[in-house]
Amino acid sequence: MIKQILSNKSTRLFLVLSGFFIANAMIAEFIGVKIFSLEDTVGIERLNLPLFGSNFSFHLTAGVLLWPVVFIMTDIINEYYGTRGVKFLSYLTVLLITYAFMMFSGAIHLKPSEYFTIGNGIDNANNAFKGIFGQGLWIIIGSMVAFLIGQILDVLVFHRIKKVTGEKRIWLRATGSTLISQLVDSFVVLFIAFYIGRRIQEGQGDAWTLKQILVTGTGNYIYKFIVAVVLTPVIYFIHGIIERYLGHDLAKEMKDAAMKD
């Protein structure tokens, strides 16, 4: 049975794309707890531009390193497996991330042994573990809601553009759908997690103002916008590999079927 499954090129490709898609989404979710300064990281002076009545610099969640890749993978899967393929993977990813955080919560409540150390100058290893893996409930909710909204938007825009342009202009439907979906995603997650969530759930720190949401969300989106454009050649490169792997006839059959979903 397994030989029959793995011998099918379209099935094998779906498994590879699915694994990469889910892995990137989960890693992005887990590292997203860290906020970093882009300017400090690359060694340049902070912008400090006036925006929404505040100084704007690139303070980004670490998850932005991978989310553009996730949405590009969405477009590639959408191209060959249609909306059903993307929705199936999106719902599965949400379930797996939810499961992972449930396991993190269980691990946090385990009593630490005196042998539990992390090193690197960290005195209280258990507090460090709780701080990293114990992300607030509303951060999880915000991330998942933003992810699903972004995925649905990406799929809709992708197919609308493809119906107009046909097989041509891969860059337009892939990059265009990503830019629109990321615009919504960048602000929804912050609004739910830090504006709404921190006003409902205690012990999560001070609630953000709308100004903070707008400034941070703008920085996240500008970064995602630039990365999405820069990665456009990568989309063509991956498409070329897939087309050669599937063969012209099978690839065309799959893309035609994907548009009918």
Side-chain angles (χ1 to χ4, degrees):
M1 184 66 178
I2 188 64
K3 289 183 178 180
Q4 183 180 354
I5 293 174
L6 294 179
S7 64
N8 186 293
K9 285 189 175 183
S10 61
T11 303
R12 187 160 52 190
L13 176 63
F14 186 72
L15 289 174
V16 172
L17 293 176
S18 300
F20 194 71
F21 175 90
I22 294 173
N24 274 271
M26 294 188 74
I27 294 170
E29 185 68 36
F30 301 153
I31 67 176
V33 65
K34 181 174 182 176
I35 308 294
F36 73 99
S37 167
L38 181 62
E39 294 99 327
D40 293 350
T41 300
V42 299
I44 62 175
E45 187 176 348
R46 293 189 179 184
L47 293 180
N48 290 321
L49 298 176
L51 181 67
F52 301 115
S54 181
N55 286 331
F56 168 76
S57 294
F58 283 96
H59 299 285
L60 311 174
T61 64
V64 301
L65 298 175
L66 287 173
W67 279 121
V69 179
V70 173
F71 280 87
I72 287 174
M73 291 299 299
T74 298
D75 295 331
I76 293 172
I77 294 168
N78 201 0
E79 181 83 16
Y80 294 97
Y81 299 96
T83 57
R84 290 185 182 181
V86 173
K87 288 180 179 179
F88 170 77
L89 285 180
S90 298
Y91 297 144
L92 177 60
T93 300
V94 169
L95 287 175
L96 291 175
I97 291 175
T98 302
Y99 171 76
F101 277 112
M102 290 173 61
M103 294 302 101
F104 291 163
S105 178
I108 286 171
H109 288 88
L110 298 175
K111 296 298 181 181
S113 164
E114 63 271 23
Y115 297 136
F116 177 39
T117 59
I118 295 178
N120 297 316
I122 298 175
D123 295 328
N124 193 319
N126 195 52
N127 282 347
F129 185 89
K130 289 166 62 178
I132 296 300
F133 291 104
Q135 297 185 60
L137 174 64
W138 284 95
I139 294 179
I140 301 172
I141 294 174
S143 297
M144 295 299 94
V145 171
F147 172 70
L148 286 177
I149 293 175
Q151 289 294 93
I152 292 171
L153 272 176
D154 193 290
V155 168
L156 291 175
V157 174
F158 182 94
H159 277 275
R160 287 291 179 87
I161 295 175
K162 189 172 183 180
K163 285 181 179 179
V164 174
T165 61
E167 289 297 320
K168 299 179 180 180
R169 297 184 178 87
I170 296 175
W171 65 270
L172 181 60
R173 60 179 177 269
T175 306
S177 60
T178 298
L179 294 181
I180 293 174
S181 60
Q182 287 289 303
L183 176 61
V184 176
D185 176 90
S186 297
F187 291 94
V188 169
V189 60
L190 297 176
F191 184 75
I192 293 176
F194 300 108
Y195 186 83
I196 295 178
R198 288 190 175 183
R199 283 172 167 77
I200 296 176
Q201 185 180 8
E202 297 181 355
Q204 299 298 310
D206 295 333
W208 284 21
T209 64
L210 287 176
K211 185 186 298 183
Q212 287 176 293
I213 299 294
L214 290 172
V215 171
T216 304
T218 299
N220 283 341
Y221 180 67
I222 291 174
Y223 170 84
K224 293 174 182 178
F225 185 105
I226 294 172
V227 172
V229 173
V230 170
L231 289 179
T232 299
V234 177
I235 297 174
Y236 280 88
F237 177 72
I238 295 175
H239 268 272
I241 292 176
I242 292 175
E243 291 284 329
R244 288 193 295 272
Y245 170 71
L246 294 175
H248 175 75
D249 293 340
L250 178 57
K252 185 178 185 307
E253 179 185 341
M254 290 173 62
K255 286 187 286 187
D256 290 344
M259 284 300 294
K260 296 176 182 177
D261 282 348

